[in-house]
Amino acid sequence: MGQKISGGIKSVDGRGDSGGSPSYRPSAHRRRHPELRGPDFSKPPRLDLLLDMPCAGLETQLRHAWNPEDRSLNVFIKEDDKLTFHRHPVAQSTDCIRGRVGYTRGLHVWRIHWPARQRGTHAVVGVATAEAPLHSVGYTALVGSDSESWGWDLGRNRLYHDSKNRAHSSLPSYPCFLEPEEAFSLPDSLLVVLDMDEGTLSFTVDGQYLGVAFRGLKGKKLYPVVSAVWGHCEITMKYINGLDPEPLPLMDLCRRAARLALGRERLQEIESLPLPQSLKNYLQYQ
């Protein structure tokens, strides 16, 4: 179930050009691909706001965790960690699990922790309707194989939707700046970004927004999902937070503006500002 990745490998440079947001390297690559600066690669302001908020608490994370009643029989939720599932070492089987909550509106972000050494030949992360299958005989990219799911193959760097009815050569690469046969080096964790108001699915790695992967999702009810083939793999999902589609209160927008003006590196200095304690607490989400 191991996979050989051919071609060059790109990775994320977490340092950024000026100590700010991470950027891709090498710089020559960025010059060859000016589309990296296009609208699809600009982090949406609402996503920036959501990621600046404190993470959801454990109670909320458990409400949005893997669903023990909506899974392949070859996986189970760990008793000592309800956010993590374990896959039995069943040969010639592909197994999925959905999250508890299906999303129809709002912006939602969750973190998938999937150790690279446990991904094997077919490791796919994405979203699915309640009708998408959760088990298949053999090793396959089950998420994205039909019209009921959308997935990113973490090993092949391909996007799948209804892939069984499409030629492999027509499946787009992701991130889309990759050259043919070029791989993208992924860490153990990534963020899944589902915007049901815009109808898009995208991903973030090491703080770098990778751009829109799928569009046209508005009007559906979609659940987090993964499909796995590696025996004894353990995959954790932590719900980061969500934003309703309604406009944010002016106080929240002012807090965001103040935190942006300070910069991420200086947020710890809020406590030393000559401000009322109640305002300092508000700026720190306390």
Side-chain angles (χ1 to χ4, degrees), residues 2-245:
Q3 178 180 342
K4 179 180 179 182
I5 299 179
S6 59
I9 296 179
K10 282 191 172 64
S11 59
V12 172
D13 183 353
R15 297 168 298 180
D17 294 334
S18 58
S21 299
S23 57
Y24 288 98
R25 62 176 187 265
S27 57
H29 165 77
R30 184 177 280 185
R31 289 194 296 271
R32 291 198 310 270
H33 298 274
E35 68 272 20
L36 282 178
R37 299 184 183 276
D40 274 1
F41 289 93
S42 298
K43 185 185 295 183
R46 291 176 71 234
L47 174 59
D48 214 22
L49 175 62
L50 185 152
L51 294 178
D52 188 54
M53 298 163 54
C55 289
L58 180 58
E59 183 178 349
T60 300
Q61 290 179 353
L62 290 172
R63 286 202 306 269
H64 293 260
W66 299 121
N67 189 347
E69 305 302 323
D70 198 11
R71 60 182 174 85
S72 163
L73 295 180
N74 294 326
V75 305
F76 66 90
I77 307 296
K78 297 184 67 176
E79 282 296 326
D80 60 345
D81 182 1
K82 298 298 185 181
L83 302 178
T84 301
F85 79 83
H86 182 103
R87 180 184 178 274
H88 293 296
V90 180
Q92 292 299 316
S93 176
T94 301
D95 305 289
C96 301
I97 185 170
R98 268 184 286 260
R100 290 179 178 271
V101 179
Y103 305 109
T104 59
R105 63 196 296 269
L107 173 67
H108 303 273
V109 179
W110 58 93
R111 175 179 289 109
I112 296 291
H113 180 78
W114 191 342
R117 66 182 183 279
Q118 296 182 12
R119 292 175 187 164
T121 54
H122 298 81
V124 189
V125 175
V127 294
T129 69
E131 287 71 40
L134 298 178
H135 174 260
S136 177
V137 175
Y139 301 133
T140 185
L142 187 53
V143 171
S145 63
D146 65 7
S147 62
E148 301 296 331
S149 58
W150 297 257
W152 180 22
D153 187 322
L154 304 185
R156 293 172 178 79
N157 306 121
R158 293 278 185 175
L159 296 177
Y160 299 149
H161 175 60
D162 202 21
S163 62
K164 66 183 180 183
N165 294 316
R166 300 174 58 185
H168 185 269
S169 59
S170 71
L171 300 173
S173 297
Y174 186 85
C176 69
F177 57 71
L178 293 179
E179 303 289 352
E181 304 304 319
E182 183 178 39
F184 181 68
S185 179
L186 273 171
D188 290 344
S189 295
L190 58 95
L191 296 185
V192 184
V193 181
L194 179 64
D195 190 336
M196 292 306 297
D197 304 319
E198 294 293 328
T200 61
L201 178 68
S202 50
F203 300 88
T204 294
V205 174
D206 281 347
Q208 176 65 54
Y209 181 68
L210 298 183
V212 174
F214 296 100
R215 298 185 182 276
L217 306 180
K218 192 181 296 188
K220 305 179 186 298
K221 186 174 185 178
L222 298 176
Y223 300 78
V225 70
V226 299
S227 64
V229 300
W230 188 265
H232 294 302
C233 70
E234 294 191 344
I235 304 169
T236 302
M237 177 171 67
K238 289 186 177 181
Y239 185 74
I240 301 300
N241 226 319
L243 280 177
D244 291 331

